[in-house]
Amino acid sequence: MKSDDEKPTRAESGCLITWFEVVDPLIKRTRDGGPIRDDYSNLHFEGSGRMHAHAGELARRPGCIPSESQAFTAGGLWTEPLPPAIVRCEVCLAAHPVGQPAE
């Protein structure tokens, strides 16, 4: 039980959080098929790591994320700024507009 002084957590506050859909996973591989060397000289990456942001509740995956896509949440609110490389889902943005940050 919480005291009156405690603030609700993001999940309890009913606010939308950001879900991240992995569109193009970043995969690490070794060039020689062996274990990663201590100096990482045989390591390379495939894919871009590109993601899309979606609005949803903590306990429920947004319906606009395809069921076959990997998705996760880091607990950030939908209204918080995102890194420039991550675009917001057009469906989620239309349903839950986000104001532009001040420059």
Side-chain angles (χ1 to χ4, degrees):
M1 181 170 237
K2 290 185 180 284
S3 70
D4 292 337
D5 296 338
E6 292 183 57
K7 294 181 181 178
T9 64
R10 289 179 177 171
E12 294 168 338
S13 67
C15 294
L16 292 174
I17 61 167
T18 304
W19 280 76
F20 297 96
E21 171 193 2
V22 180
V23 178
D24 185 21
L26 187 62
I27 302 167
K28 70 176 189 276
R29 300 203 191 277
T30 56
R31 297 187 199 309
D32 55 10
I36 298 172
R37 294 185 192 137
D38 289 341
D39 64 357
Y40 304 108
S41 62
N42 67 336
L43 188 65
H44 73 101
F45 294 92
E46 297 175 359
S48 66
R50 191 168 53 111
M51 292 186 249
H52 288 163
H54 298 266
E57 298 172 6
L58 185 61
R60 190 177 343 168
R61 179 182 170 118
C64 52
I65 299 176
S67 60
E68 67 275 2
S69 293
Q70 178 186 4
F72 63 93
T73 180
L77 297 176
W78 173 247
T79 55
E80 292 176 356
L82 296 172
I86 300 177
V87 297
R88 294 184 194 266
C89 166
E90 293 295 325
V91 173
C92 293
L93 199 52
H96 309 286
V98 176
Q100 296 296 325
E103 302 255 343

